[in-house]
Amino acid sequence: MSSVVLKRHSVLPGFGLTVGYTLLYLSLIVLLPLSTLAFKSSSLGFDAFWTTVSSARVVASYKLTFGASLAAATINAFFGLIVAWVLARYTFPGRRLVDAIVDLPFALPTAVAGIALTTLYSENGWLGAPLARMGVKVAFTPLGITLALTFIGLPFVVRTLQPVIDELDPELEEAAASLGASRAQTLFRVVLPALLPAWLTGFALAFARCLGEYGSVVFIAGNMPMRTEITPLLIITKLEQYDYPGATAIAVVMLVASFVLLLGINLLQSWSGRRLAA
Amino acid sequence: MSIEARNVTKRFGSFVAVDDVSLVFPGGELTALLGPSGSGKTSLLRIIAGLERADAGQVLFEGEDATGRDVRQRGVGFVFQHYALFRHMTVFDNIAFGLRVRPRARRPGAPEIRAKVMDLLKLVQLDWLANRYPSELSGGQRQRVALARALAVEPKLLLLDEPFGSLDAKVRLELRRWLRRLHDEIKLTSVFVTHDQEEALEVSDRVVVMNKGHVEQVGSPQEVFDQPKTSFVMNFLGQVNAVKGGYVRPHEFELARSADAPEGSWAEVRHIHMAGAVVKLELVDEAKNVLLVEMSRDRADALAPRVGERLFAWPRRLRSFEAATV
């Protein structure tokens, strides 16, 4: 490795300007609000902070939020891969329409999604009623929360994978086949390893989105303490009770946990992507 | 292994890429499929490999019908123009791939795989790169790895699609001579596709010249160059002057200061390119046709032509084709 070069001649100069802007922008938009979060919660003192963030109700909400988000991101990782593959590799009538539908969860107000899902899946809804007869309750259970989060996270996986699949040369699959690899071997040894970095990125984005999701979940969750209460809702509840330090304390825990998880996924992703750099 | 294509036709929509082509590739030979882009040469190669289905016709391996056989079962080594190396695998793992994906009953043990891969790496002279990733190699090295990977499964037939197409000129030249030597060593029936006539003539035992989905001519490099059967072959295999009565290659023109031949015409020298072993002259005759003439350095020195001078040009050899369509 050569030593770090900060500045070099280029056609488009402006290293100082752009980096300065980047730092200022990140400070104002991201770091400043987050530091006030930490600052505000510190007014509690350590004991009160710990009591707040480790109370049974709050811990139950962490478990639910992280668990449901993980489940939703995992579901999206698989189905998003299939959707992205179909959109990138095949042409069929209505492909553009399907392509546009994928973006809907981005654009739709999350509350609208939440109400729609609740109506569909409540015990007298179109899908909820037959499911209830089979003994499956969706609305007002963790399953419903996972469903809402799956809806929200889908485009992240699809939109991250799609361009990478577009770039993936079909010749790679032909080469594998000419060397005698079966379809499964081609998929698992050639295609998926090549998609892995983008796949992890998509998973991380969907997961991060789910952790913070509020609007679509609160309607379908039912918000029963200890059972279907997500952490972002708890924060709102505390805010409504003017317990600002309590709300920020929980927020800080969420923030740190999310950051550690995302950092881990990013490291994993850069490890798997390093070898692919062309 | 000998290969035969019988009445093979391939269409893409209304475009006929391969039009009722019948060809025999004798075992052990290195054949070049030569033609301009869109001539159907790559489609034909992919049909032989099993990567593409023919709309009509048959492909026979050693006299046996292989038309419906899957690419996985054909025992064909295929080398792609853009290498198609697996980027997440080292050079070693790329070459070992074909052996490792075999069903357990036919899969060699790890030590045998290792020995085989290292042998192949020595064959392509890259044994010092076994643990590198493809992104760390040059184009020529990548293509040699791709070749080693194709040879690892001990194919009965080696197919190469524009194998030198994305390499720079010097590497191209080295690699094609190396391929020729390799073929002399392993004597594997091989077919390679190229649009570069020099490459085809230099490397192959036999040349198949294709145009618009048809085979124009099949023959040894010397045959197709010296006795082209059609005006297309004549034009495609080198520089050509179209003169009254037929075609003349630049090196088959004679230049003199007096009109001492019945055929021929006076022409004015426009440019003289002296650089190189062959001197190239550009002349304009009385009918304003541009004539390209090549002669050896010695002959040029003896004649000492000057720009602006009028010289008499006559063909030592004139070829004409019936129903000539250029």
Side-chain angles (χ1 to χ4, degrees), chain A residues 174 181 185 189 275-277, chain B residues 46 72 87-88 101 133 135:
Chain A
E174 291 179 348
Q185 284 170 328
R189 295 189 178 211
R275 296 171 304 166
L276 289 177
Chain B
R46 290 172 60 85
R72 295 171 182 85
R87 292 194 295 161
H88 61 284
V101 295
Y133 284 95
S135 59

Side-chain angles (χ1 to χ4, degrees), chain A residues 168-169 171-183 185-186 189-191 193-194 274-278, chain B residues 46 51 70-72 76 78 80-82 84-89 94 97-98 100-102 133 135 149-150 153:
Chain A
L168 193 72
D169 198 338
E171 278 188 357
L172 290 175
E173 293 142 54
E174 291 179 348
S178 77
L179 292 167
S182 67
R183 293 197 171 100
Q185 284 170 328
T186 305
R189 295 189 178 211
V190 174
V191 175
R274 211 171 27 226
R275 296 171 304 166
L276 289 177
Chain B
R46 290 172 60 85
L51 292 172
D70 191 85
V71 54
R72 295 171 182 85
V76 163
F78 201 98
F80 295 85
Q81 180 179 358
H82 300 291
L85 293 177
F86 307 131
R87 292 194 295 161
H88 61 284
M89 294 182 203
N94 262 284
F97 183 85
R100 286 178 178 159
V101 295
R102 282 189 184 168
Y133 284 95
S135 59
R149 183 179 67 176
V153 294

Side-chain angles (χ1 to χ4, degrees), chain B residues 45-239:
Chain B
L45 193 80
R46 290 172 60 85
I47 287 167
I48 294 171
L51 292 172
E52 208 90 64
R53 288 269 141 124
D55 295 318
Q58 282 180 300
V59 176
L60 293 93
F61 284 8
E62 206 76 79
E64 210 177 297
D65 190 4
T67 316
R69 212 181 284 172
D70 191 85
V71 54
R72 295 171 182 85
Q73 265 81 53
R74 287 202 189 195
V76 163
F78 201 98
V79 175
F80 295 85
Q81 180 179 358
H82 300 291
Y83 331 120
L85 293 177
F86 307 131
R87 292 194 295 161
H88 61 284
M89 294 182 203
T90 60
V91 166
F92 185 96
D93 292 337
N94 262 284
I95 298 173
F97 183 85
L99 299 171
R100 286 178 178 159
V101 295
R102 282 189 184 168
R104 190 157 295 144
R106 294 197 298 117
R107 193 188 308 156
E112 286 105 282
I113 291 181
R114 176 151 199 97
K116 172 110 205 190
V117 171
M118 290 319 287
D119 278 351
L120 281 163
L121 275 169
K122 284 199 192 82
L123 183 73
V124 299
Q125 298 154 10
L126 291 174
D127 43 330
W128 48 290
L129 289 176
N131 295 316
R132 300 281 189 86
Y133 284 95
S135 59
E136 300 168 307
L137 307 185
S138 72
Q141 290 169 339
R142 285 182 206 187
Q143 197 55 293
R144 281 189 278 163
V145 172
L147 191 64
R149 183 179 67 176
L151 291 174
V153 294
E154 290 172 10
K156 287 167 282 171
L157 169 65
L158 184 65
L159 302 172
L160 307 104
D161 183 12
E162 299 263 6
F164 317 118
S166 34
L167 302 170
D168 56 57
K170 192 160 175 287
V171 180
R172 264 179 105 113
L173 212 66
E174 278 169 21
L175 206 57
R176 77 193 194 203
R177 289 189 182 143
W178 175 83
L179 178 72
R180 181 65 236 185
R181 284 200 303 275
L182 185 75
H183 181 264
D184 291 338
E185 215 172 294
I186 60 178
K187 286 286 174 209
L188 183 62
T189 311
S190 309
V191 182
F192 81 102
V193 155
T194 181
H195 61 261
D196 182 338
Q197 86 283 356
E198 215 182 286
E199 196 170 286
L201 297 178
E202 188 180 314
V203 175
S204 63
D205 296 312
R206 269 168 21 110
V207 181
V208 175
V209 186
M210 292 190 68
N211 180 34
K212 293 177 181 163
H214 297 278
V215 173
E216 294 268 337
Q217 190 173 356
V218 181
S220 72
Q222 205 188 340
E223 266 165 24
V224 292
F225 188 78
D226 283 343
Q227 290 137 38
K229 279 191 187 152
T230 64
S231 58
F232 174 82
V233 177
M234 176 93 194
N235 271 284
F236 196 70
L237 287 184
Q239 291 263 12

